[in-house]
Amino acid sequence: MASSSKFAWIAIAMFFALFSLKHCQAYYLTPNYYDYACPQALSTIRTVIRDAIAKERRMAASLIRLHFHDCFVQGCDGSVLLKDTPWFTGEQTALPNNNSIRGMEIIDAAKRAVEAVCPGVVSCADILSLAARDSSEYVDGPTWTVKLGRRDSTTASRDLAEADLPIAFENLDVLIGKFAKKGLDAKEMVVLSGAHTIGQAQCVTFRNRIYNETNIDPGFAIHRRRGCPSDNAGNGNLAPLDPVTPN
Ligand code: HEM
Ligand SMILES: *[C@@H]1O[C@H](CO)[C@@H](O)[C@H](O)[C@H]1NC(C)=O
Ligand SMILES: *[C@@H]1O[C@H](CO)[C@@H](O)[C@H](O)[C@H]1NC(C)=O
């Protein structure tokens, strides 16, 4: 009796030790996550991101959006980076992403750079999170502390991307619903949409709005029609989302 209850206590203790270890690795994010395993991680990533934006200013916007599109599908798990495989169709060809998301090669370059200093330590999901912060900081936007320790997904889903990501022509109720599904309220949606103060949009995403809709500043609509013909020509023509501070 005594020895079997002792055994039970040891078993219970081992269970909780293993459980909390797993818990710690899988779920606990902290800004100091790489301090011991890869102290150079954050500066290495920042250098790659800053070099990319110095070469092409728009990349700051593209990397912020890439992080958003990663997080809205299965959480911030790097799934947006995965190409199609025989087992799943990835997110990159989903309607809101196809011919639209940019900057994957910059994340790849940052991953290569951290692999060179600490192989197998830093997740792509964390690199995406840091890249968004570093981008905002570099273009004099807000900055924030990034909690780290995300694990990378081994799967991705085009269907989930099409269901969860907002689409240009959706109305306010639908958009509020999509953010609510991620635990974000209408005010948080509006605040996050402030990211549109930088970056570019393709004519195909705003054509209907500038030719057919009336709840838009008429001067702005007429101005935008110049670079965006009403027929299907020029679908990919770019215009700044915010003409005042495009960079
Ligand atoms: C509220 C719902 C949202 C909708 C419907 C939406 C839609 C769009 C569309 C249609 C574009 C242009 C894409 C293209 O033409 O290829 C765009 C660009 C962009 N979006 Fe959003 N977006 C939303 C929210 C957000 C959020 C929450 C963020 C980040 C926090 C964000 C960041 C950006 C950025 C930075 C760009 C410019 C990207 C570039 O120049 O490469 N958007 N968005
Ligand atoms: C994505 O874009 C490519 C190139 O424009 C196009 O050929 C393809 O059909 C698109 N894929 C989807 C799923 O819409
Ligand atoms: C305007 O709306 C009509 C009716 O929905 C549509 O057929 C047409 O293609 C739209 N025009 C543009 C430029 O989006």
Side-chain angles (χ1 to χ4, degrees):
M1 194 65 187
S3 90
S4 86
S5 90
K6 200 172 174 185
F7 175 79
W9 277 114
I10 291 169
I12 289 166
M14 281 176 67
F15 172 79
F16 279 107
L18 285 171
F19 178 80
S20 60
L21 193 66
K22 188 170 186 283
H23 189 81
C24 185
Q25 286 179 338
Y27 303 112
Y28 183 57
L29 301 187
T30 161
N32 307 315
Y33 193 81
Y34 296 116
D35 281 6
Y36 296 103
C38 191
Q40 318 93 304
L42 273 62
S43 60
T44 304
I45 293 162
R46 190 198 286 118
T47 300
V48 174
I49 301 308
R50 294 177 79 97
D51 287 353
I53 302 168
K55 280 206 193 83
E56 192 213 359
R57 194 78 178 173
R58 183 186 174 196
M59 192 50 72
S62 302
L63 290 171
I64 290 169
R65 183 168 186 243
L66 192 60
H67 176 44
F68 163 50
H69 281 215
D70 180 34
C71 292
F72 251 50
V73 187
Q74 305 184 164
C76 310
D77 61 353
S79 58
V80 71
L81 301 169
L82 299 180
K83 304 246 160 67
D84 295 353
T85 73
W87 303 277
F88 61 79
T89 304
E91 296 161 19
Q92 299 188 351
T93 56
L95 186 64
N97 287 339
N98 202 26
N99 304 309
S100 180
I101 49 167
R102 306 174 73 247
M104 289 80 82
E105 73 288 356
I106 307 302
I107 303 300
D108 289 348
K111 174 68 169 170
R112 275 196 300 277
V114 282
E115 287 302 296
V117 289
C118 355
V121 174
V122 181
S123 70
C124 293
D126 279 342
I127 295 174
L128 278 163
S129 309
L130 289 162
R133 189 274 311 271
D134 293 344
S135 294
S136 177
E137 198 176 285
Y138 188 75
V139 298
D140 296 326
T143 188
W144 56 92
T145 301
V146 180
K147 291 185 182 174
L148 299 164
R150 294 168 190 78
R151 315 305 294 174
D152 286 336
S153 178
T154 55
T155 62
S157 162
R158 182 168 72 193
D159 289 347
L160 259 187
E162 297 206 327
D164 285 3
L165 286 169
I167 298 169
F169 46 79
E170 286 173 333
N171 69 33
L172 186 61
D173 287 339
V174 172
L175 293 175
I176 289 174
K178 286 188 167 180
F179 278 73
K181 196 174 166 189
K182 304 298 165 186
L184 297 163
D185 66 21
K187 183 175 176 182
E188 288 165 327
M189 179 179 86
V190 171
V191 169
L192 287 166
S193 299
H196 288 169
T197 194
I198 57 172
Q200 308 274 322
Q202 301 175 66
C203 165
V204 67
T205 69
F206 59 83
R207 178 184 284 125
N208 186 56
R209 186 130 178 75
I210 57 174
Y211 286 100
N212 267 342
E213 294 189 354
T214 50
N215 59 346
I216 180 172
D217 181 306
F220 183 59
I222 287 164
H223 184 66
R224 275 288 164 269
R225 285 177 199 168
R226 246 184 278 157
C228 182
S230 61
D231 55 31
N232 265 348
N235 276 350
N237 291 2
L238 292 172
L241 285 152
D242 176 344
V244 182
T245 58
N247 290 315

